[in-house]
Amino acid sequence: VQLQASGGGLVQAGGSLRLTCAASEGPFSNYAIAWFRQAPGKEREFVAVINRSGDATNYAASVKGRFTISRDNAEVTGYLQMNSLEPEDTAVYYCAAGAQPSSAWSWYTYWGQGTLVTVSS
């Protein structure tokens, strides 16, 4: 499966963005979908994951209650709704697909190219 992340941009603190992960060339519904992010000079970190059917999710503590992950298997697309954004959320965000939901990036076989989110204070 090929993934393409989009929807990043510049937003003020307190604002919202919705990231999209569009899939092609593969059985999208066979994969858990996750979002990771990497800030400049920092390691890649887990943000959120949703299982194949979309009825189970998990979030990093830093985004819980502000971000919502979802998916539309009919549209072969995943989403990350980000509300109450903070400058600390500034990073390149990547979507990933893997056989099982996990917070470990090494579990994921397929990756999108990343989309930059910049939150100004």
Side-chain angles (χ1 to χ4, degrees):
V1 63
Q2 293 189 352
L3 305 174
Q4 183 170 356
S6 62
L10 174 64
V11 63
Q12 289 188 333
S16 298
L17 283 174
R18 188 176 80 157
L19 304 184
T20 297
C21 180
S24 62
E25 299 187 14
F28 181 74
S29 60
N30 284 4
Y31 298 100
I33 299 297
W35 290 90
F36 290 79
R37 67 187 181 185
Q38 188 165 17
K42 294 187 177 181
E43 294 186 353
R44 188 176 348 182
E45 65 172 351
F46 167 75
V47 174
V49 63
I50 188 166
N51 67 347
R52 301 175 191 179
S53 59
D55 59 2
T57 59
N58 190 29
Y59 296 91
S62 59
V63 307
K64 201 167 188 178
R66 300 188 297 122
F67 291 10
T68 302
I69 189 171
S70 61
R71 66 189 296 162
D72 185 334
N73 286 343
E75 296 294 327
V76 292
T77 302
Y79 304 97
L80 185 68
Q81 177 67 42
M82 306 186 296
N83 299 330
S84 302
L85 282 161
E86 304 168 352
E88 292 75 21
D89 296 317
T90 295
V92 177
Y93 284 71
Y94 300 89
C95 61
Q100 297 293 337
S102 173
S103 61
W105 65 264
S106 58
W107 277 88
Y108 293 88
T109 305
Y110 305 101
W111 290 83
Q113 85 285 7
T115 185
L116 177 61
V117 172
T118 303
V119 184
S120 63
S121 57

